[in-house]
Amino acid sequence: MHLLLTVNSNWNILNFRRPLVAALLSQGHRITVLAPMDDAVPELQKLGVRVVPLVMDMKGLNPLRDSAFMLRLYRHFLRERPDLILSWTIKNNIFGAFAARAVGVPFLPNVSGLGTAFLSGGALQRVAEMLYRLSFARLGTVFFQNTEDAALFVERGLVHERQVYCLPGSGIDLTHFTPAPLPEGPPGFLMIARLLRDKGVLEYVAAARDIRARYPDVTFRLLGAAGSQNRSAISADEVVKWQAEGVIDYLGTTDDVRPYIAQSQCIVLPSYREGAPRTLIEGAAMGRGAIATDVAGCRDVVVSGVTGLLCAPRSAEALAEQFVRFLNMPLDMRAAMGRAARARMENRYDERIVVRAYLEAISRAR
C-alpha cells in the first residue's frame, strides 16, 4: 500500500513514530510523510521515506483561516492518491479528516493530546469540539493515548465509543532506553519538554527557586526548545533570565535524552494535561521515578507513591512539596521507585503493542 503520514513536524515522525515506520516499510508499504520541513528530513529519507513539504500555520485554530490549509491538504491527497492516511496533531487530524473524506481515502487519526485548544476553554474549545465532531463522524477508528481523553470525547459526543482505540502512547523501545544506576551526590531534577506554559514550565521554575533557597546543592535542569510557534510558548529571553538568576540550568535541545536522564535522579513534568507524556515514559524505562501533576496522561504513566509522586496542577507550592518529599527519601527508596517504573514500562508501554495495533487497524481499513 501507499501510506501517507501527516503531522505538524517531521521531527514528530522521526522521534515518536520511527518503530511504526520501520514496521510498515518491512511489510513492503510505500510511505510518504506530509509535514513542514525541518532538520529531521534527511534521517527520514535515509529510512526510505519520501517527504513532501507541507505549509501550515502552527498557531491558533481558526476555521476561516484554516480552510486554506484544508484545501492544501485536499490537493496533496488528490495528487498523492494514497491508499490510507495516518495523522497526528490537532490541525492535521481535523482538517485532514475533512480532506480525506472529500478525496475518498480512509483516514486514521491519533489524538495524541488535547493541546492548547482544549486547555484554553471558552470559545476556542467550543470551536475545536465542533470541528472534531464533524470531521471524525464517519471514521472507523480513532486512536487515543489515554483513557481519559477517549472518555471525554465520547462524553461530549465528539466520537462514538465503537470508534475508540486506546494506545500506550507511542510506546517505548526498551532495548534503547535501558536502566541506568542513580548518580551519587545531591539529587538532580530534570524537566524535558517544549518550553510552553501549558507544560508547567513556570511552575517548575518557581518551585525550583523555592527549593534552591533551602537546598542550594540541588540542581534543576531544563531540556527542550524555547520560542516555538505555540500560543503558550515561553521566549528564549525569559529562559536566559532564569539561567542568569541561577534558578535552572538550561540545556537547550538534544537528539539523545538518555545521557541527561542518566545524570538525573528524578524526571519532572508539571503539565496541565497530556496525551501520553513521552519524557515520563523514557525516564521510567531508564529506571527513574517521576514527579508529575495529577492530570490526564501523567497519572496514566505515574503510579503515585509507587513509580513517582503526583501533585496538583498549576501550583508551584504543590510541586515544591513533592520536591521536598523526594529529597527526604533515602537513596534505596528512590532506586526502588525507579525499578517499579521500569517494570511498568515493560508490562504496558512496549512499542510492539503500538505497532501491532496500527497494523491491525490498517488491515481492517483495506
Side-chain angles (χ1 to χ4, degrees), residues 105 133 204 285 311-312:
V105 177
R133 187 178 295 111
Y204 179 68
C311 68

Side-chain angles (χ1 to χ4, degrees), residues 32-48:
T32 298
V33 172
L34 177 63
M37 302 297 276
D38 57 32
D39 293 342
V41 170
E43 286 300 313
L44 283 175
Q45 292 172 330
K46 287 179 185 177
L47 294 176

Side-chain angles (χ1 to χ4, degrees), residues 200-210 222 242 245 247-248 319:
V201 174
L202 299 182
E203 288 82 358
Y204 179 68
V205 172
R209 185 179 289 115
D210 178 16
L222 184 58
W242 296 334
E245 186 185 347
V247 179
I248 56 106
L319 182 59

Side-chain angles (χ1 to χ4, degrees), residues 11 191-197 199 201 222-230 232-237 239 242 250-254 257 279:
W11 179 91
M191 179 177 178
I192 310 172
R194 287 183 299 156
L195 271 56
L196 308 176
R197 290 188 294 276
K199 294 293 183 182
V201 174
L222 184 58
L223 176 64
S228 64
Q229 292 188 42
N230 186 287
S232 72
I234 292 168
S235 71
D237 290 342
V239 179
W242 296 334
Y250 178 55
L251 305 174
T253 59
T254 182
V257 299
T279 60

